[in-house]
Amino acid sequence: QVQLVESGGGLVQPGGSLRLSCATSGFSLAYYATGWFRQAPGKEREGIACISAPDGTTYYADSVKGRFTMSKDIAKNMVYLDMNSLKTEDTSVYYCGTFPTSRCGENYDVWGQGTEVIVSS
């Protein structure tokens, strides 16, 4: 059974940093692409980062490029999102998900319950 569990969200001041973690099980990060997306109340889902398999190529939305870094640890079955220079508009619920293939795409196969990030002074 494929499962993903996000953690690490919280309240942070503008300009601050957070690291989100995603514990995965039931599939191998070596063979399937994974990504992070976010959704704020009343707003559309936004895909923000993705890492393909097996080469680990990363892709970022323009809104987070240069500030967020996605990584994975295949041996630990963990996916991470390092978020720096956070802005108030980054406030959202963040989800990690997996794709049905090794390539990044638009349609997630399975995703977690989300972790909330609030950027506020």
Side-chain angles (χ1 to χ4, degrees):
Q1 182 181 3
V2 175
Q3 288 188 320
L4 303 99
V5 180
E6 304 92 337
S7 61
L11 174 64
V12 62
Q13 292 186 341
S17 300
L18 273 179
R19 165 174 264 206
L20 303 184
S21 299
C22 176
T24 71
S25 60
F27 70 102
S28 174
L29 295 172
Y31 302 117
Y32 292 93
T34 53
W36 289 92
F37 64 93
R38 63 188 181 186
Q39 188 164 22
K43 294 188 177 181
E44 292 187 356
R45 175 188 293 187
E46 179 188 15
I48 56 173
C50 183
I51 189 164
S52 64
D55 59 351
T57 302
T58 50
Y59 304 88
Y60 300 97
D62 289 342
S63 59
V64 306
K65 196 173 294 182
R67 300 188 298 123
F68 291 10
T69 302
M70 182 176 180
S71 59
K72 64 180 179 180
D73 186 327
I74 295 175
K76 294 183 178 179
N77 297 316
M78 294 293 295
V79 175
Y80 304 99
L81 185 68
D82 289 298
M83 307 187 296
N84 298 308
S85 302
L86 282 161
K87 306 175 182 179
T88 55
E89 51 263 45
D90 294 319
T91 295
S92 191
V93 179
Y94 286 72
Y95 302 85
C96 71
T98 182
F99 294 94
T101 71
S102 62
R103 296 183 176 183
C104 295
E106 295 184 359
N107 297 316
Y108 286 88
D109 192 20
V110 182
W111 54 92
Q113 83 292 344
T115 186
E116 187 174 24
V117 173
I118 300 173
V119 184
S120 175
S121 55

